[in-house]
Short mmCIF file of all heavy atoms in Angstrom, two decimals:
data_model
loop_
_atom_site.label_atom_id
_atom_site.label_comp_id
_atom_site.label_asym_id
_atom_site.label_seq_id
_atom_site.Cartn_x
_atom_site.Cartn_y
_atom_site.Cartn_z
N SER A 135 -2.06 29.32 22.21
CA SER A 135 -0.97 30.23 22.48
C SER A 135 -0.66 31.02 21.35
O SER A 135 -0.60 30.53 20.23
CB SER A 135 0.29 29.42 22.93
OG SER A 135 1.45 30.37 22.99
N GLY A 148 8.73 26.82 29.45
CA GLY A 148 9.61 26.93 30.59
C GLY A 148 9.05 26.44 31.94
O GLY A 148 9.82 25.80 32.75
N SER A 160 13.57 14.81 42.53
CA SER A 160 12.79 14.22 43.67
C SER A 160 12.73 12.68 43.32
O SER A 160 13.09 11.87 44.34
CB SER A 160 11.31 14.80 43.61
OG SER A 160 10.45 13.94 44.29
N THR A 174 20.83 -2.02 54.08
CA THR A 174 21.53 -1.57 55.21
C THR A 174 20.75 -1.20 56.32
O THR A 174 21.09 -1.11 57.50
CB THR A 174 22.55 -0.42 54.95
OG1 THR A 174 21.76 0.70 54.46
CG2 THR A 174 23.54 -0.77 53.90
N THR A 175 19.38 -1.09 56.13
CA THR A 175 18.51 -0.45 57.23
C THR A 175 17.14 -1.36 57.28
O THR A 175 16.99 -2.11 58.28
CB THR A 175 18.20 0.97 56.94
OG1 THR A 175 19.35 1.76 57.03
CG2 THR A 175 17.37 1.45 58.13
N PRO A 181 18.06 -12.74 57.10
CA PRO A 181 19.50 -13.18 56.98
C PRO A 181 20.34 -12.48 55.94
O PRO A 181 19.74 -12.11 54.93
CB PRO A 181 19.32 -14.61 56.64
CG PRO A 181 17.82 -14.96 57.11
CD PRO A 181 17.07 -13.69 56.96
N THR A 220 -4.98 16.27 36.01
CA THR A 220 -4.43 15.03 36.55
C THR A 220 -3.02 15.16 37.04
O THR A 220 -2.73 14.58 38.12
CB THR A 220 -4.50 14.02 35.32
OG1 THR A 220 -5.88 13.97 34.87
CG2 THR A 220 -4.17 12.56 35.88
N PHE A 238 8.63 7.34 58.05
CA PHE A 238 8.63 6.03 58.51
C PHE A 238 9.91 5.26 58.09
O PHE A 238 9.79 4.16 57.49
CB PHE A 238 7.46 5.33 57.89
CG PHE A 238 6.14 5.88 58.35
CD1 PHE A 238 5.26 6.61 57.39
CD2 PHE A 238 5.69 5.73 59.68
CE1 PHE A 238 4.05 7.11 57.88
CE2 PHE A 238 4.57 6.28 60.12
CZ PHE A 238 3.66 7.04 59.29
N THR A 247 4.08 1.91 52.21
CA THR A 247 2.93 2.85 51.83
C THR A 247 3.43 4.02 51.13
O THR A 247 2.88 4.42 50.12
CB THR A 247 2.15 3.27 53.13
OG1 THR A 247 1.69 2.10 53.76
CG2 THR A 247 0.98 4.21 52.66
N ILE A 259 1.40 10.73 36.64
CA ILE A 259 1.80 11.93 35.85
C ILE A 259 2.75 11.52 34.75
O ILE A 259 2.85 12.32 33.69
CB ILE A 259 2.38 13.07 36.62
CG1 ILE A 259 3.80 12.68 37.12
CG2 ILE A 259 1.44 13.42 37.82
CD1 ILE A 259 4.44 13.72 37.92
N ALA A 297 20.83 14.70 42.05
CA ALA A 297 20.26 13.76 42.95
C ALA A 297 21.11 12.60 43.19
O ALA A 297 21.30 12.16 44.34
CB ALA A 297 18.80 13.47 42.55
N MET A 301 22.30 12.62 47.14
CA MET A 301 21.48 11.89 47.96
C MET A 301 22.17 10.69 48.67
O MET A 301 22.05 10.49 49.97
CB MET A 301 20.24 11.45 47.36
CG MET A 301 19.32 12.59 46.98
SD MET A 301 18.87 13.54 48.49
CE MET A 301 19.85 14.99 48.15
N ARG A 332 -0.32 27.80 34.82
CA ARG A 332 -1.74 27.41 34.39
C ARG A 332 -2.42 28.34 33.49
O ARG A 332 -3.23 27.88 32.78
CB ARG A 332 -2.53 27.26 35.66
CG ARG A 332 -2.81 28.55 36.49
CD ARG A 332 -3.32 28.31 37.85
NE ARG A 332 -3.61 29.57 38.64
CZ ARG A 332 -2.74 30.30 39.17
NH1 ARG A 332 -1.45 30.03 39.00
NH2 ARG A 332 -3.09 31.44 39.76
N VAL A 338 -5.66 20.78 26.04
CA VAL A 338 -6.65 19.98 25.25
C VAL A 338 -7.61 19.39 26.21
O VAL A 338 -7.19 18.44 27.02
CB VAL A 338 -5.90 18.96 24.42
CG1 VAL A 338 -6.91 18.20 23.58
CG2 VAL A 338 -4.80 19.68 23.49
N GLY A 362 -21.11 -15.53 7.36
CA GLY A 362 -20.37 -16.55 6.79
C GLY A 362 -18.77 -16.50 7.06
O GLY A 362 -18.13 -17.31 6.51
N PRO A 366 -11.61 -15.46 14.07
CA PRO A 366 -10.37 -15.97 14.64
C PRO A 366 -9.71 -14.97 15.64
O PRO A 366 -9.15 -15.43 16.68
CB PRO A 366 -9.48 -16.19 13.42
CG PRO A 366 -10.02 -15.20 12.43
CD PRO A 366 -11.45 -15.09 12.61
N CYS A 393 2.96 -12.41 38.63
CA CYS A 393 1.63 -13.10 37.94
C CYS A 393 0.77 -12.00 37.29
O CYS A 393 0.25 -12.17 36.20
CB CYS A 393 0.95 -13.89 38.88
SG CYS A 393 1.83 -15.38 39.48
N LEU A 432 -1.61 -0.35 17.37
CA LEU A 432 -1.12 -1.74 17.46
C LEU A 432 0.22 -2.02 16.82
O LEU A 432 0.98 -2.77 17.40
CB LEU A 432 -2.25 -2.64 16.88
CG LEU A 432 -3.62 -2.60 17.56
CD1 LEU A 432 -4.60 -3.46 16.88
CD2 LEU A 432 -3.49 -3.17 19.10
N ILE A 437 6.71 -2.35 18.34
CA ILE A 437 7.92 -1.58 18.63
C ILE A 437 8.15 -1.45 20.08
O ILE A 437 9.31 -1.75 20.58
CB ILE A 437 7.77 -0.15 18.01
CG1 ILE A 437 7.72 -0.18 16.43
CG2 ILE A 437 8.95 0.74 18.45
CD1 ILE A 437 9.06 -0.56 15.75
N GLY A 460 29.65 -2.06 45.38
CA GLY A 460 30.00 -2.23 46.74
C GLY A 460 31.05 -3.26 46.85
O GLY A 460 31.78 -3.39 47.92
N PRO A 465 37.59 5.18 47.00
CA PRO A 465 38.06 6.13 48.01
C PRO A 465 37.03 6.05 49.14
O PRO A 465 35.91 5.75 48.99
CB PRO A 465 38.10 7.47 47.38
CG PRO A 465 38.15 7.25 45.95
CD PRO A 465 37.37 5.90 45.70
N GLU A 502 20.86 8.33 7.13
CA GLU A 502 19.86 9.09 7.88
C GLU A 502 19.64 8.43 9.20
O GLU A 502 18.94 7.24 9.18
CB GLU A 502 18.57 9.28 7.06
CG GLU A 502 17.41 10.04 7.88
CD GLU A 502 17.85 11.35 8.16
OE1 GLU A 502 18.53 12.05 7.38
OE2 GLU A 502 17.47 11.92 9.23
N MET A 528 33.33 -11.23 36.51
CA MET A 528 34.21 -12.39 36.53
C MET A 528 35.59 -12.06 37.32
O MET A 528 36.07 -12.92 37.91
CB MET A 528 34.45 -12.88 35.10
CG MET A 528 33.18 -13.37 34.42
SD MET A 528 33.59 -13.81 32.73
CE MET A 528 34.80 -15.25 33.05
N VAL A 542 33.03 2.90 34.72
CA VAL A 542 32.70 4.13 33.82
C VAL A 542 32.44 3.56 32.39
O VAL A 542 31.58 4.07 31.80
CB VAL A 542 34.02 4.99 33.80
CG1 VAL A 542 33.81 6.07 32.64
CG2 VAL A 542 34.13 5.69 35.15
N PHE A 550 24.79 5.77 26.31
CA PHE A 550 24.70 6.06 24.94
C PHE A 550 23.44 5.31 24.30
O PHE A 550 22.65 5.87 23.59
CB PHE A 550 25.87 5.68 24.17
CG PHE A 550 26.01 6.05 22.77
CD1 PHE A 550 25.80 7.38 22.34
CD2 PHE A 550 26.13 5.09 21.71
CE1 PHE A 550 25.85 7.73 20.97
CE2 PHE A 550 26.13 5.39 20.26
CZ PHE A 550 26.00 6.85 19.98
N GLY A 604 22.02 -25.02 39.87
CA GLY A 604 22.91 -26.10 39.64
C GLY A 604 23.46 -26.11 38.15
O GLY A 604 24.67 -26.36 37.91
N THR A 608 27.56 -25.32 36.58
CA THR A 608 28.37 -26.11 35.65
C THR A 608 29.01 -25.19 34.55
O THR A 608 29.93 -25.60 33.88
CB THR A 608 27.48 -27.14 34.84
OG1 THR A 608 26.49 -26.43 34.14
CG2 THR A 608 26.74 -28.09 35.96
N TYR A 639 8.50 -0.80 9.04
CA TYR A 639 7.54 0.08 9.74
C TYR A 639 7.47 1.36 8.92
O TYR A 639 8.52 1.89 8.57
CB TYR A 639 7.98 0.37 11.09
CG TYR A 639 6.91 1.08 11.94
CD1 TYR A 639 5.99 0.55 12.61
CD2 TYR A 639 7.12 2.52 11.97
CE1 TYR A 639 5.07 1.36 13.29
CE2 TYR A 639 6.23 3.25 12.65
CZ TYR A 639 5.20 2.77 13.36
OH TYR A 639 4.31 3.45 14.08
N GLU A 641 6.52 5.31 9.35
CA GLU A 641 6.20 6.30 10.33
C GLU A 641 5.07 7.17 9.80
O GLU A 641 4.88 7.33 8.59
CB GLU A 641 7.38 7.13 10.75
CG GLU A 641 8.55 6.25 11.43
CD GLU A 641 9.62 7.02 11.89
OE1 GLU A 641 9.30 8.29 12.42
OE2 GLU A 641 10.80 6.73 11.82
#
Side-chain angles (χ1 to χ4, degrees):
S135 165
S160 163
T174 60
T175 304
T220 305
F238 298 110
T247 298
I259 69 175
M301 289 308 102
R332 66 195 182 282
V338 179
C393 292
L432 293 176
I437 291 287
E502 178 61 34
M528 290 179 65
V542 171
F550 188 57
T608 63
Y639 186 90
E641 296 186 37

